[in-house]
Amino acid sequence: MFTGLVTDVGTIRRAVHRNGLTRFEVESGYPLAGIALGASVLHSGVCLTVVEKGEAERGAWFAVEAVPETLSKTVLGSWTEGARVNLEQSLKLGDELGGHFVFGHVDGVGEIVSVEPEGQSFRVTIRPPAAIARYFATKGSAAIDGVSLTVAAALPNGDFQVAIIPHTWEVTTLSTLKAGTKVNLEIDMLARYVARMIGADAPEGK
């Protein structure tokens, strides 16, 4: 379980495809002692398990593995050496819940329609897959590449908008967004439960 509050931006230092798996080695600012083998780490919205770790110049590196299904249903399939990744370690008892509950199961890949400055902040319009568009409601929560954001507006055509403050813009990979960029989307947990209660079909994420 996660909150969508990014605690580091890592860098993909290796991506190796072997035996049906893709192994990513991620360099981070996390201290080596703070990373446990078998631990869950959110990678731009995707929960992956640490299978190896070691010391690195900036802190520590760790390796995770992804199956073809995950690569095909998320943006991970486009990651190459040098790609920057939003990171969050899993919640522990007693941690502050500052964002919203995030599973790390991507419900769909959206596309950035536009990025418009609004004073010092930015308004980003996102086009989700049609199958999940109804789950993004004004003032509801959404995870965009693992970042917890509030939906500023749900538009009649199915697109939705988020307003990003300067701090979030600067300390995550969201500052690289532009029209045409693909992003991992996770709908709000509450939307899942409401859909279940009223008999609507909720998507199953990866």
Side-chain angles (χ1 to χ4, degrees):
M1 188 72 73
F2 307 90
T3 64
L5 299 180
V6 173
T7 53
D8 189 33
V9 175
T11 303
I12 302 297
R13 70 176 201 172
R14 288 189 70 196
V16 179
H17 308 279
R18 183 183 304 153
N19 299 327
L21 291 175
T22 296
R23 174 188 168 100
F24 295 107
E25 290 185 4
V26 185
E27 185 164 340
S28 76
Y30 295 142
L32 181 61
I35 302 173
L37 291 178
S40 296
V41 178
L42 198 67
H43 296 72
S44 290
V46 183
C47 178
L48 298 171
T49 301
V50 175
V51 297
E52 190 178 352
K53 64 177 184 174
E55 293 184 352
E57 181 177 351
R58 194 164 70 90
W61 68 268
F62 58 90
V64 294
E65 295 174 332
V67 297
E69 175 77 1
T70 300
L71 299 179
S72 68
K73 298 296 178 62
T74 70
V75 302
L76 271 64
S78 66
W79 284 357
T80 57
E81 183 178 329
R84 298 173 69 244
V85 184
N86 293 322
L87 299 176
E88 181 189 353
Q89 294 176 288
S90 59
L91 279 171
K92 300 176 180 63
L93 287 176
D95 285 352
E96 180 180 353
L97 303 179
H100 74 280
F101 282 123
V102 175
F103 286 121
H105 299 165
V106 172
D107 293 302
V109 174
E111 181 175 342
I112 302 301
V113 176
S114 63
V115 178
E116 301 292 339
E118 283 189 331
Q120 293 185 317
S121 63
F122 297 85
R123 180 168 290 255
V124 179
T125 301
I126 302 169
R127 180 159 297 151
I132 63 172
R134 66 184 181 276
Y135 296 102
F136 297 97
T138 302
K139 304 306 179 186
S141 297
I144 316 299
D145 271 354
V147 182
S148 174
L149 296 169
T150 299
V151 176
L155 306 180
N157 68 348
D159 295 352
F160 69 96
Q161 296 178 331
V162 292
I164 304 175
I165 64 173
H167 175 76
T168 302
W169 189 257
E170 293 166 3
V171 301
T172 70
T173 64
L174 298 185
S175 60
T176 64
L177 296 180
K178 58 184 179 181
T181 301
K182 299 296 176 62
V183 291
N184 290 322
L185 300 177
E186 182 179 331
I187 63 176
D188 187 9
M189 183 188 301
L190 180 59
R192 296 175 187 271
Y193 289 144
V194 171
R196 175 72 66 179
M197 291 172 65
I198 65 175
D201 291 328
E204 295 184 0
K206 285 293 168 192

